[in-house]
Amino acid sequence: MIRLRADHVLAWAGADHVLLRDGEVAVDGGRIVAVGPRTTAAPGVEVVELGAALLMPGLIDLDALADIDHALLDSFGDPQLARDLNWSQRYAADGPREVFSRAEKAFVRRYAFVQLLLHGVTTAMPIAAETHSGWAETYDEAVDMADEARALGLRCYLGPSYRSGVNVVRADGTAAVWWDEAAGRAGFDGAVRFARLLRERGDDLLRPVLLPCRIETVTDELLTATAEAARTLDVKVRLHCLQGVGERARLAEQGRGDPLSVLARTGLLGGRLLVPHGIHLDAHSSVGAGTDRDLARLAAHQVSVIHCPLTSARYGSAMETFARYRAAGVNIALGTDSFPPDLVRGMDFGVNLAKVQSGRLDTATPADYVRAATVAGARALGRADLGRIAPGAQADLVAFALDDLRDGVLDDPVRTLLNNSSARAARLSMVAGRVVVRDGRVPGVDAAALRARAQELFGRMKAGYGVRDRRGRSPEHLFPPSFPLS
């Protein structure tokens, strides 16, 4: 038994979160057993005094970076450079190569999972760029990922990514898709095999999910097989779609129609589907239809959208709008999708972007975004035992400190956290009753060594872009400094 005490506890009252002052959460056997005012602890019961902190449900990140930061490299260039950072068609034809060994990839996953824990994420559905792989993720790499997550105590929904094609850039700078359907089928077979392995292990912290890549790089045949496998295995599917105008152009070139038509035709349009970004619907100004038919279909089929407000803005797009999706009945969960995996920054960015879009201060509140990061994420996963502090729920908790002088004065703890702080204020995190972050550190992790090794691998990752570039440019040309070096 352990009792966590904090000045502010975000408790569950049956239909919504409520703020409890001077509260206490009792944990036993990996579950929450009691929530309420502070009590006198019995002898032998461990008591953790968190003081000036907000103790809340652990954050749920359903598009969680499992990679070394790439937004430092690819989020500032002109449109042509953005295309050029894909594989060149020549590179794909010659046979792509692995940038990292299997052991190095396992290290990268460990590095990323530590980052997630340090930012208050307790449930993650990882994503890594396939850019640096020979094709996509493999069964063996997924096994390594599961081992790393389990060792750290992170709750994960896992599977190797797979794809039938890859976005490439031709010699003339135009975009295309390079196909290898045999590699796609082999990747899918590995994903199904891995899902069965996790089921056989019976580890509640690690559950399987099917992770086809971007919709324009997966054939209808493989998407149909994915939908059938998801029903057979009773798992969720995450598919990146509705995330860019380029995606719609590639689908049109392939004669496949719009994204929702593909989802419906292949059997994926349903409650098992999670869609990261979900931005470029017929409601979006980039599409121009000006209707809410796509939103209505997503809501009617209980598709969850994984909203990544900070990352979307970094790449020049935005949901139109959070309030519009919510009014249509779409379940909106959250993801980070890039570094840092800071959902507090993401929530604050989303709130303020909604204000700009609507011209109103109340169109999307901090409370709305906290729900998205907790109970809506749990709803997307079909987990009533996550995303809330209530008796019987999983003891997945995070305490964000509110006593840093740089945060200013304290008013409402939720607004103060989002307005004035960041997820780096995570003081303590717990997953299934196990403390995975204490005093801002992950037990057993040498942070300095982790950082040094990650920096070394980042340098190799950066160099790989020059190898793949259609014009053979060096990383120094592709990624110039913000100001000239003297």
Side-chain angles (χ1 to χ4, degrees), residues 111-364:
Y111 169 81
F113 291 164
V114 168
Q115 296 284 0
L116 291 166
L117 290 173
L118 289 173
H119 287 83
V121 173
T122 56
T123 297
M125 189 178 289
I127 177 174
E130 293 85 6
T131 311
H132 321 293
S133 295
W135 187 252
E137 292 171 328
T138 68
Y139 170 88
D140 288 337
E141 290 166 7
V143 171
D144 293 342
M145 194 183 314
D147 292 342
E148 295 292 349
R150 193 63 183 85
L152 292 166
L154 179 65
R155 189 183 300 278
C156 272
Y157 282 74
L158 295 172
S161 63
Y162 53 92
R163 60 184 177 184
S164 316
V166 57
N167 282 302
V168 298
V169 58
R170 301 184 182 100
D172 64 1
T174 57
V177 175
W178 180 268
W179 297 99
D180 186 339
E181 294 187 37
R185 172 56 70 170
F188 168 75
D189 291 343
V192 171
R193 180 184 168 205
F194 177 76
R196 290 176 175 150
L197 171 72
L198 282 194
R199 283 283 163 75
E200 290 168 4
R201 286 187 176 184
D203 186 340
D204 189 55
L205 281 186
L206 304 177
R207 297 198 178 186
V209 62
L210 294 176
L211 301 174
C213 295
R214 303 166 64 109
I215 190 172
E216 75 276 19
T217 66
V218 186
T219 62
D220 278 15
E221 177 188 10
L222 202 56
L223 291 176
T224 300
T226 297
E228 293 171 352
R231 288 190 291 271
T232 300
L233 296 165
D234 189 22
V235 298
K236 298 288 184 177
V237 177
R238 187 187 65 197
L239 174 65
H240 279 67
C241 64
L242 301 164
Q243 67 173 332
V245 293
E247 165 197 300
R248 300 181 79 94
R250 299 293 84 74
L251 288 176
E253 291 167 3
Q254 297 162 15
R256 298 169 67 189
D258 65 276
L260 260 68
S261 296
V262 175
L263 296 176
R265 182 170 63 245
T266 58
L268 282 172
L269 190 63
R272 297 187 188 279
L273 181 63
L274 284 64
V275 175
H277 308 299
I279 290 173
H280 294 270
L281 307 166
D282 60 5
H284 196 272
S285 55
S286 67
V287 178
T291 72
D292 286 348
R293 285 193 295 267
D294 288 349
L295 280 175
R297 291 182 74 187
L298 291 177
H301 290 277
Q302 299 181 313
V303 175
S304 290
V305 168
I306 306 171
H307 180 33
C308 306
L310 181 56
T311 296
S312 293
R314 281 177 168 167
Y315 293 94
S317 63
M319 176 183 284
E320 294 180 359
T321 59
F322 184 92
R324 191 173 182 178
Y325 282 52
R326 190 180 52 182
V330 176
N331 184 52
I332 307 173
L334 291 187
T336 49
D337 194 34
S338 66
F339 192 87
D342 191 329
L343 280 174
V344 174
R345 284 182 65 187
M347 288 188 278
D348 183 45
F349 203 90
V351 168
N352 290 307
L353 180 60
K355 294 176 186 178
V356 172
Q357 290 175 316
S358 68
R360 293 178 59 102
L361 300 183
D362 61 348
T363 186

